[in-house]
Amino acid sequence: MDQRVKPAPHEIRRARTVNPKTRERDLAAQLGISEAELAAAHCGDGAVRIEPRVNDLLTGLEAVGEVMALTRNESAVHEKIGVYDKPVTGNHNAMMLGENIDLRIFPKVWAHGFAVEKRDGDDIRRSLQFFDAAGEAVHKVHLRPASSLYAYQKLVASLESSNQEPTIDISRPVLDEESEAGTTSLDDLRDRWSRLTDVHQFFGMLKTLKLSRRQAVRMVGQDYAWLLDNDAVRAMFHHAAEGEMPIMCFVGNRGCIQIHSGPVKSIKTMGPWINVLDETFHLHLRIDHIHEVWAVRKPTKDGHVTSLEVYAANGDMIIQFFGKRHEGEGERDDWRFLAEHLPRIPSPTAA
């Protein structure tokens, strides 16, 4: 167990000053603190604590205009440029259904929020940053040159917390451990899987059977899920770009899932990262974190749909892909052909 004493707020601010170019996530890791604690240390000195009232945030953001939405996990960063329009509020689930910014949000996970100003030369970069109870980032909103500063400041003022202390209480993260799958029969899994009529029923099926997603795809059989070579993701990106094929790309964490729907064009590999560098969509994916890639076939009332699901070594899903489709439409032929012809490898036994 790490017994290091956490640095005081003034020590955190000094470290930020000494390392102005270091990314927040990396600096927090170097200091042995969470990213939320790094933000909190700057309250009164470039940061304002705000209440993570998701519904008020979603309804207030449209007036800010064009911004960049960022959702990430340990292995992937998903960035979309656009406007927060078409919000759907809710206390358990909330959504943003705009053309460019498409989110699925779980408000109860959002525990801490900050409005952050960071000087970059002569410019000031402004962002709204939200974290879970463990201090992990769940979602960030970065202002752009076209953003309305007035609307942003008005929104921050409406969300400002009465508590501006430079420290916060952080709870230890609850880790999801894959349970033993022995209590679920293969016949039961395959029967329930075969009777799916909508991809959104999949999570409920897993919950009923007490299976993780990866356990289910390992168990179900190769007519529904098959293992691909880890380089399948890179191959998929290049084929999709060359064929101008619109795809859906999901990156999420406990508190937020962010979705890109549309083509991808500029695919660049840099060190351990594969990157999409398009006009309104940036994606950064750690290739070296990929442990397994599965092609997964799910029945729906419109015919089966096929996803690519990328897993880390601990069983967490890093990123998921579909061919772009709307409710009531069948799967794209070009996407299905691509998914079914990516290089396969022998499947492991069920975990």
Side-chain angles (χ1 to χ4, degrees):
M1 184 180 292
D2 190 347
Q3 297 292 340
R4 287 182 300 174
V5 175
K6 290 185 177 181
H10 72 276
E11 294 172 316
I12 297 172
R13 293 194 296 272
R14 184 168 64 242
R16 170 81 283 177
T17 301
V18 173
N19 302 280
K21 298 296 185 181
T22 305
R23 293 183 181 276
E24 280 78 4
R25 190 179 183 90
D26 296 334
L27 181 58
Q30 292 171 19
L31 295 172
I33 60 175
S34 69
E35 200 178 337
E37 289 169 294
L38 176 63
H42 289 81
C43 282
D45 185 20
V48 174
R49 190 194 305 268
I50 57 176
E51 300 290 342
R53 300 199 306 268
V54 171
N55 292 331
D56 293 336
L57 173 74
L58 296 185
T59 54
L61 270 172
E62 183 173 5
V64 181
E66 183 186 88
V67 293
M68 189 266 277
L70 186 154
T71 301
R72 70 165 299 158
N73 54 45
E74 186 66 28
S75 306
V77 185
H78 193 297
E79 302 170 352
K80 288 286 290 187
I81 295 170
V83 176
Y84 279 73
D85 56 354
K86 300 179 183 175
V88 178
T89 58
N91 292 327
H92 296 285
N93 298 283
M95 296 184 285
M96 185 60 65
L97 300 176
E99 180 179 353
N100 277 329
I101 297 180
D102 188 358
L103 306 171
R104 305 294 179 268
I105 294 170
F106 312 104
K108 291 187 181 299
V109 176
W110 295 39
H112 307 285
F114 301 91
V116 178
E117 293 188 354
K118 183 179 176 183
R119 185 164 291 281
D120 183 15
D122 294 332
D123 297 325
I124 297 176
R125 296 187 176 183
R126 296 176 173 87
S127 61
L128 303 176
Q129 304 186 12
F130 298 93
F131 305 88
D132 65 15
E136 289 287 318
V138 292
H139 189 62
K140 296 182 181 181
V141 183
H142 291 266
L143 267 63
R144 290 176 53 79
S147 304
S148 166
L149 182 57
Y150 171 76
Y152 168 79
Q153 291 172 333
K154 184 178 178 182
L155 178 60
V156 170
S158 72
L159 295 173
E160 184 172 349
S161 171
S162 59
N163 175 12
Q164 294 298 322
E165 292 296 317
T167 60
I168 56 173
D169 292 327
I170 293 296
S171 62
R172 293 174 63 86
V174 177
L175 300 178
D176 291 329
E177 295 185 3
E178 292 194 348
S179 59
E180 291 296 327
T183 56
T184 298
S185 73
L186 176 58
D187 288 343
D188 191 13
L189 172 61
R190 288 181 58 82
D191 176 62
R192 291 173 183 269
W193 194 304
S194 70
R195 291 188 283 111
L196 295 172
T197 59
D198 188 295
V199 293
H200 299 104
Q201 297 168 354
F202 193 72
F203 177 75
M205 180 192 75
L206 295 177
K207 191 172 182 181
T208 298
L209 296 175
K210 298 181 180 178
L211 287 175
S212 73
R213 184 182 290 266
R214 188 172 67 161
Q215 285 172 333
V217 300
R218 284 184 166 200
M219 283 181 63
V220 71
Q222 294 199 34
D223 50 341
Y224 286 127
W226 57 95
L227 192 60
L228 300 175
D229 185 273
N230 281 1
D231 202 45
V233 176
R234 193 199 318 258
M236 180 277 295
F237 272 128
H238 286 292
H239 281 293
E242 290 167 6
E244 300 182 349
M245 183 193 310
I247 64 172
M248 300 180 75
C249 172
F250 295 67
V251 169
N253 52 56
R254 294 173 184 276
C256 187
I257 299 169
Q258 187 163 303
I259 307 164
H260 165 76
S261 298
V264 291
K265 298 176 182 177
S266 179
I267 314 298
K268 306 287 185 184
T269 301
M270 304 175 193
W273 297 89
I274 186 167
N275 304 278
V276 179
L277 302 173
D278 291 345
E279 185 176 356
T280 61
F281 175 46
H282 290 176
L283 175 75
H284 313 287
L285 172 64
R286 282 287 295 261
I287 305 168
D288 56 330
H289 286 190
I290 295 175
H291 183 67
E292 290 177 354
V293 182
W294 289 84
V296 182
R297 184 181 287 148
K298 303 184 185 80
T300 77
K301 63 181 186 299
D302 305 309
H304 73 258
V305 297
T306 315
S307 60
L308 295 188
E309 302 185 355
V310 182
Y311 293 90
N314 66 356
D316 287 348
M317 185 187 289
I318 297 172
I319 194 167
Q320 184 181 40
F321 304 95
F322 290 86
K324 184 179 178 181
R325 60 183 285 272
H326 297 287
E327 198 73 26
E329 295 179 352
E331 182 166 64
R332 296 178 59 93
D333 291 337
D334 52 359
W335 170 259
R336 182 176 295 181
F337 181 87
L338 174 58
E340 292 180 349
H341 289 81
L342 290 169
R344 304 188 186 199
I345 61 176
S347 297
T349 57

